[in-house]
Amino acid sequence: MTALLEVGYVGKAHGLKGEVVVHLTTDRIEERTAPGAVFVVAGEASVAAGQPELVVRSARLQQRKATQELWVMGFEGVTGREAAEALRSTVLSAEPIEDPDAVFAHDVIGCRLVDQHGTDHGEIVALVANPASDLLELADGRLVPLAFLESADDQTVHVDVPDGLL
């Protein structure tokens, strides 16, 4: 089984017909909001929903904030306000979307960062959210904008950075 990715969470109920406000934390919005898209839920949320998966029935953009979009979503089998309220704070996970060009955060943590000159700058220990460009954090505390990423494999992340950055 493929490891699931956390892609969002459920906020408050919206209206009387079982819709909820969803905070998506993914950049794959079109795929995650399409009718039939599947979210996996665990623990109490799956018991409250009566199912371990939520299948998107409908989705529409409610509000666009500076760093986040809020979606009103309906799920199959969730038809009333009470059922929608039971989903509040539910973490939504999903299978990764196959994309050979995509690099996911969980793929780069633990990799070595190598610049365009072949210099190894150490291990990547975290991905730090930043509005301009997410940052790769190295074990020694240095930060490298993800915008400079050129390629990645199972063990190495290659970057092309301006002189003096590292």
Side-chain angles (χ1 to χ4, degrees), residues 44 46 56 96 99:
E44 292 179 30
S46 67
V56 175
D99 182 349

Side-chain angles (χ1 to χ4, degrees), residues 35-117:
V38 177
F39 294 106
V40 178
V41 296
E44 292 179 30
S46 67
V47 173
Q51 53 201 13
E53 296 181 338
L54 294 172
V55 178
V56 175
R57 180 182 71 233
S58 63
R60 66 184 181 279
L61 182 62
Q62 179 193 34
Q63 181 180 9
R64 180 173 282 131
K65 294 183 175 182
T67 59
Q68 185 179 49
E69 293 180 344
L70 301 178
W71 291 81
V72 173
M73 299 178 82
F75 298 107
E76 291 179 10
V78 180
T79 57
R81 185 166 182 91
E82 188 174 302
E85 286 175 348
L87 293 175
R88 187 178 195 126
S89 300
T90 298
V91 173
L92 301 174
S93 299
E95 296 271 338
I97 295 170
E98 293 299 320
D99 182 349
D101 297 328
V103 177
F104 294 101
H106 67 275
D107 291 332
V108 299
I109 305 302
C111 289
R112 307 294 296 179
L113 185 108
V114 177
D115 68 19
Q116 67 271 25
H117 306 295

